[in-house]
Amino acid sequence: MNERLVARGLLENWNDAVRARDRAAMILLLRRVAVPNASNVADAVLADPAFYGF
């Protein structure tokens, strides 16, 4: 997933969205890079941000 975000220049936007706990922005970014089950991924990160380095 991070590789896809980096390739599209969206990693910083992703990091900002996670830090702000902006689920809608996270899902939008994940969909822009064609991550399957974007809402599930966003929910997992928000449920345990420390596990993902946030």
Side-chain angles (χ1 to χ4, degrees):
M1 177 185 81
N2 282 348
E3 293 84 4
R4 293 179 188 195
L5 291 165
V6 168
R8 297 279 307 268
L10 298 172
L11 186 61
E12 191 60 35
N13 298 70
W14 167 256
N15 292 339
D16 291 343
V18 174
R19 287 187 196 105
R21 301 187 59 80
D22 186 343
R23 183 178 183 270
M26 292 169 65
I27 292 170
L28 177 67
L29 290 164
L30 292 171
R31 287 183 178 155
R32 286 183 64 188
V33 296
V35 170
N37 301 312
S39 59
N40 292 345
V41 173
D43 290 341
V45 173
L46 290 172
D48 191 1
F51 180 79
Y52 297 96
F54 292 95

